[in-house]
Amino acid sequence: MSLMIILILSLIPFALLEVIFNKSEWSRELVYKMAFALAFFIVLIKYYYGSDISIYLPLYNRIGRIGIFSSSYFEPGFLLFLKCCNWLHLSFWAMTAVITIVYFYALWQLFKQIPNYRVFGLLVLVVLDYNLLFFELRQCLAVSFFILAFLSYNNKQVYKTVLYLLLMAISHKSGIFIVGLFLFVLSIRNFKVTAYVYGIAIAVMFVFILFPIEKLIVLLLQSFGNSSAIKSIVHHLLVADSVQAIYVVYVLLSVLLFLITRKAASTSFTARFVFVAFAMVVLLVKYWFLLNRVRSYFIPIFLFYILCNLDKIEEKICKQLSYGIFTMYICLISFVLYRKVEQSVSGVNAPQTVFSLVHRSKSEIIKDTLNKCRIFWKKEYVFEN
């Protein structure tokens, strides 16, 4: 068992209750608030959890001696954030809690605009992006700022949009790419998103799955130099799988987006961003390790857009089928995660929360966690030599 599985299993009953009480707005709202509070609590109480602790803990312990522009690996915005937390004398756990609070605040602001099936949307987000919630501190902060930038732009708050985009870009390297994507979407104001363009994108996605193009892309990237950013992209791009369970989700996503735009084309910013984001998924569909670096920005917006436009899908059977397929995928991922934790040599993802302090001291927990991290990076990491 791991905290990811505990979170998923905790949300499933609420997703069922949401369906049962679907006709009562008051009951739906209560179920959603309870589910959201529980998800927030489970993520919040993680304590020195995951393999990345071996990277972030030493950094936080010596952050007072590091300049915000002195590291080629850590972004200046994230280092500045750590310095602020250190100046406030926050513990390492409190620092991670601040990131969790910022992310769930942004998510709450986004999801409160969704009319229905918010618990199910939250469950899907957790299943697709549990790594962000539990392990990826820098990117979680960056994704939070992106969601706030997205909402600010839709509310015509230009200065806030610029501020949040800037904070995103300096919090994680992937944020720089998303800023470029954001500006590109702004530049194509007259682009009309139709079912036809989604049909083309779907066809291209299957072509990319069948015909690997990573060697061509790697050669193209290397022609621009050998910077750390390019090395990182190449490093991620070379990890590819011809068959992935997530393909089911991508195909279902493409079908839902196609059905939503079939009756009415749109030139709205959200519709344009969703299409451009989907195009990025298409281009990187086979290269999961690289796609995972940008997918976390897209998932909340995909869910927001689809759940807000479900009424545009006239075929009830399509909605029911989508719900059923996602449910089966959730069950599959839960089983895979369970097996992964059970077979783990390191045990790095075994549940560990602030309540672990009842049985062990902080120093014992840290020592045990760092030992598990060493075993993980040596024996279980995907790039093991």
Side-chain angles (χ1 to χ4, degrees), residues 248-263:
V248 175
V249 174
Y250 294 150
V251 171
L252 189 56
L253 170 67
S254 64
V255 171
L256 290 173
L257 292 175
F258 176 83
L259 291 174
I260 287 171
T261 53
R262 186 180 53 174
K263 293 292 183 180

Side-chain angles (χ1 to χ4, degrees), residues 173-369:
K173 293 182 181 72
S174 60
I176 299 172
F177 173 77
I178 300 300
V179 168
L181 210 64
F182 197 96
L183 294 175
F184 174 72
V185 174
L186 289 178
S187 71
I188 53 171
R189 291 181 180 276
N190 297 322
F191 179 72
K192 186 178 290 187
V193 180
T194 65
Y196 176 73
V197 295
Y198 272 114
I200 295 174
I202 293 168
V204 172
M205 179 172 67
F206 282 105
V207 169
F208 281 8
I209 290 174
L210 296 173
F211 302 99
I213 58 170
E214 70 273 11
K215 292 183 179 179
L216 178 62
I217 297 175
V218 168
L219 287 173
L220 181 63
L221 287 171
Q222 290 176 337
S223 68
F224 289 99
N226 199 31
S227 66
S228 60
I230 290 177
K231 284 182 179 178
S232 178
I233 295 172
V234 170
H235 172 74
H236 288 73
L237 190 61
L238 291 176
V239 182
D241 281 334
S242 56
V243 179
Q244 302 171 45
I246 193 68
Y247 285 172
V248 175
V249 174
Y250 294 150
V251 171
L252 189 56
L253 170 67
S254 64
V255 171
L256 290 173
L257 292 175
F258 176 83
L259 291 174
I260 287 171
T261 53
R262 186 180 53 174
K263 293 292 183 180
S266 176
T267 58
S268 71
F269 173 79
T270 301
R272 283 181 283 128
F273 184 87
V274 167
F275 175 74
V276 171
F278 179 72
M280 291 306 307
V281 171
V282 168
L283 292 172
L284 302 172
V285 65
K286 197 172 179 181
Y287 312 104
W288 62 270
F289 206 67
L290 180 58
L291 179 56
N292 282 0
R293 288 302 182 187
V294 295
R295 195 180 68 182
S296 294
Y297 297 95
F298 302 155
I299 292 172
I301 310 305
F302 283 152
L303 289 170
F304 169 78
Y305 183 73
I306 290 172
L307 293 174
C308 285
N309 290 280
L310 272 180
D311 60 322
K312 292 182 180 179
I313 302 177
E314 297 177 351
E315 297 85 354
K316 191 176 180 180
I317 185 65
C318 291
K319 299 178 186 178
Q320 294 171 336
L321 200 59
S322 300
Y323 196 97
I325 292 172
F326 268 123
T327 301
M328 288 188 288
Y329 181 79
I330 289 166
C331 294
L332 172 64
I333 292 301
S334 299
F335 175 74
V336 170
L337 282 174
Y338 175 78
R339 292 284 296 171
K340 186 176 180 181
V341 172
E342 288 296 306
Q343 295 173 357
S344 172
V345 176
S346 66
V348 73
N349 291 332
Q352 189 163 269
T353 70
V354 289
F355 300 110
S356 300
L357 291 169
V358 174
H359 304 290
R360 295 188 295 168
S361 67
K362 177 181 175 180
S363 59
E364 288 175 332
I365 291 173
I366 292 174
K367 182 179 179 181
D368 182 50
T369 301

Side-chain angles (χ1 to χ4, degrees), residues 19-160:
V19 175
I20 294 171
F21 297 110
N22 189 46
K23 293 184 179 180
S24 170
E25 185 177 347
W26 181 86
S27 298
R28 285 202 322 264
E29 187 70 18
L30 178 62
V31 169
Y32 169 67
K33 287 180 177 178
M34 291 172 63
F36 192 92
L38 181 60
F40 170 64
F41 177 74
I42 293 174
V43 178
L44 183 72
I45 62 174
K46 65 182 185 291
Y47 192 72
Y48 293 91
Y49 187 64
S51 57
D52 284 354
I53 294 301
S54 61
I55 299 172
Y56 289 120
L57 182 57
L59 173 67
Y60 193 62
N61 288 339
R62 56 188 177 87
I63 191 62
R65 304 188 300 273
I66 300 175
I68 61 173
F69 297 106
S70 62
S71 174
S72 60
Y73 182 81
F74 295 104
E75 296 80 2
F78 182 69
L79 293 176
L80 180 61
F81 167 75
L82 294 186
K83 280 184 174 293
C84 290
C85 291
N86 181 260
W87 180 73
L88 292 170
H89 301 290
L90 298 182
S91 66
F92 181 83
W93 171 76
M95 179 273 291
T96 64
V98 170
I99 295 176
T100 299
I101 291 168
V102 172
Y103 179 79
F104 273 87
Y105 167 76
L107 201 62
W108 176 265
Q109 295 299 318
L110 180 70
F111 270 46
K112 73 179 183 181
Q113 300 183 36
I114 298 173
N116 204 350
Y117 297 107
R118 288 180 289 178
V119 178
F120 189 71
L122 180 62
L123 177 58
V124 171
L125 182 142
V126 167
V127 169
L128 295 179
D129 220 12
Y130 55 83
N131 280 326
L132 184 81
L133 294 172
F134 287 102
F135 311 123
E136 298 168 353
L137 302 183
R138 289 177 296 151
Q139 191 161 10
C140 188
L141 200 58
V143 172
S144 305
F145 291 135
F146 170 71
I147 294 173
L148 294 172
F150 174 82
L151 292 171
S152 297
Y153 182 79
N154 279 341
N155 291 329
K156 304 186 188 307
Q157 298 171 318
V158 178
Y159 293 115
K160 280 189 176 181

